[in-house]
Amino acid sequence: MRDTRSADPDRILPDEILPAELCAALFAPLRRRDQRSRGMDYLYGLLTATGRKSIRNIAGVIGGPATEQSLHHFVCDSTWDWMPVRQALAEYVIGVAPPQAWVVRPVLIPKAGEHSVGVDRRFFPGLGQVGTAQLAMGVWLASEQLCSPVNWRLHLPEAWLDDKRRRSRAAIPEGAAADTPSGCAVNAFLDLSAWDLPMRPVVLDARELDVHVLARGLGDAGVPLLARIDGDQQLCLPGRARALSARQIMSAARHTRRRVEMPDTDPGRHTRLVATASVVAPHRHDGGTAPHVPNPGASNAGALNSGALPAGAVQSGVVRPRAARAGGVPVRRAGGTADTGGHDRELLLLGISGIGEARPGELWLTNLNTPDLTTLVRLTRLLRLVDEDFADVSDDVGMRDFTGRSFSGWHRHTTLASAACAVSILTERDRTAARGSPAFPPGAGCDGTTEQVA
């Protein structure tokens, strides 16, 4: 990349904001030198361009119209595979800030037109209205100290996949198949199963998703799950056929409430009251089990499986493909026995409230076989931290700013925007440490202890 300081003395040079170690790891999967150079250009532009992080604005920071054409080709028309770059990003971030959980988060990307790949009429929960948007599922490496996105999956409605003309224009791969938003959330995580990464619980907000699909898709793969649910979610008590709402079950379980003391890092919420109840998902009214979760694009990854998770140590284990490792995460089943298959698993329902609150403010469902309520409550807070990260960092580096129409272009842009997030977050962490603030110890687990990753 050329030195532009002579043209603009106030311009920040790439070497001043792009960590050499991260860039070397991130772009190592790109075989060609020109691709590695363009990747660094694009990353630099995401971090320094003002306004919308379009290719045109990024090119304006790097070198003008000629650069715009080459960047457009690099992102939209090139042949480099984004998944190895995402894997390199995940491995780098884990090396400097081990996560406590994987957080899966839906992201709506508003669009004015109908030509962006995957765009559809969608409901915006925050606005209470329907609009035109893309829907993506992001996967964050999350801890109380750092949250960074590492993988993305774009939801493709049937209307796009069944329309040969739209599919061809967006260059959607032949192997792509229709998916529900819930299946998309499951597959966004299962896409990582080919990577040798630490096993962590998957934390997500399931209030707008199908809990049956999530519990089956992740549970069958042996993945620990912690999902926030709506009070109207229908569940059954073990051995009972009648379904009740989660709110009704928690009302009857008030006597189980226990005090959980939280650390001082959460001002105003030091003490939480947690009620628990064992439940099972009711059989579906259509007479079948939970819908099959398709996994297009990850056929070589296999399903996730891990070794047993000891009580109170939900952060141990390694993500490996099913074929590489036998056994599964112990999940709750009626009668208290462990089970790694089937669909009549026993789950733990949590109702979390503050002192003086008559009813739980949050309801969570988990298949984690651990009695450590402090660990579970601390994991639930990661959802809020990821939301704050998205508002403060992800949007700032242009995560939703891709203006192209192609499937591959969208994925390459979000990959590089995820890298820009990591650069921004790690740079701020280093600045904070330089000012004398206490740094968190490498390998810190969610219970404040350190761990060795297998």
Side-chain angles (χ1 to χ4, degrees), residues 211-212 215 233-244 249 277-283 332-336 343-349 365-366:
V211 174
H212 290 85
Q233 175 66 48
Q234 296 294 295
L235 300 166
C236 291
L237 296 173
R240 305 288 182 87
R242 180 190 173 194
L244 301 170
I249 295 173
S278 294
V279 297
V280 295
H283 293 290
R332 302 173 62 86
R333 184 179 182 179
H343 309 296
D344 192 23
R345 297 189 182 96
E346 187 174 295
L347 304 170
L348 183 67
L349 177 63
L365 201 61
T366 183

Side-chain angles (χ1 to χ4, degrees), residues 96-97 145-146 424-434 440:
V96 297
Q145 294 80 24
L146 184 148
S424 179
I425 294 168
L426 292 172
T427 299
E428 180 58 30
R429 187 198 70 162
D430 292 343
R431 288 173 181 167
T432 300
F440 59 92

Side-chain angles (χ1 to χ4, degrees), residues 303-372:
L304 294 177
N305 233 320
S306 77
L309 295 179
V314 298
Q315 67 273 29
S316 63
V318 175
V319 174
R320 298 187 189 280
R322 179 184 298 274
R325 194 167 182 177
V329 175
V331 292
R332 302 173 62 86
R333 184 179 182 179
T337 59
D339 178 35
T340 58
H343 309 296
D344 192 23
R345 297 189 182 96
E346 187 174 295
L347 304 170
L348 183 67
L349 177 63
L350 305 174
I352 303 176
S353 58
I355 299 295
E357 294 179 356
R359 61 180 59 183
E362 296 181 8
L363 296 172
W364 293 79
L365 201 61
T366 183
N367 63 1
L368 281 163
N369 191 22
T370 173
D372 188 348

